[in-house]
Amino acid sequence: VSFTVLDLVLNPSGKLLLASTDKSRLVLFVVGSSIQMRWFYGAVNDELCQTRACWHPSGAYIFVTSQDQKVYCWHVSSQKVVAQLKGHAAVVRDLDVSPDGLSLISGSFDKTLRVWHVAEAGAA
């Protein structure tokens, strides 16, 4: 493996595992194997960051924190960034999606919480 895993999160079905790495990439693994199914690029993260990721309940989208003070949203099957959420004034520290999939909440070192409407974030 040519990267350090900084965060791990299972998809809603429990069959896929998303690994956030120190190389500004996310790697999607098939659970129970070393198969790297997909790679996602765009977020800015290095070995000093504390990246976090979460899945939309549908399993179609992932959200990831980035050192550039944004939250990135990817469409999983296309591997394309569909949104870059801007609004924090410091690194985004954590995030989560509501169980109904309608809201994304992010917290930052700027001491704020932001509530994003998921449909406006490109994950509808």
Side-chain angles (χ1 to χ4, degrees), residues 3-7 20-25 43-52 65-68 91:
F3 52 83
T4 300
V5 174
L6 303 172
D7 187 48
S20 299
T21 78
D22 62 339
K23 302 292 184 186
S24 294
R25 82 175 145 178
V44 180
N45 293 309
D46 63 22
E47 65 276 358
L48 301 176
C49 76
Q50 298 174 334
T51 186
R52 296 291 181 266
T65 62
S66 179
Q67 287 179 294
D68 62 3
V91 173

Side-chain angles (χ1 to χ4, degrees), residues 57-70:
S58 69
Y61 300 92
I62 53 174
F63 298 92
V64 178
T65 62
S66 179
Q67 287 179 294
D68 62 3
Q69 304 172 5
K70 300 176 192 171

Side-chain angles (χ1 to χ4, degrees), residues 14 22 30 41 46 57 65 68-69 73-74 88-90 97 99 112 120:
D22 62 339
V30 175
Y41 296 93
D46 63 22
T65 62
D68 62 3
Q69 304 172 5
C73 175
W74 281 267
H88 285 292
V97 176
T112 65
E120 294 171 7

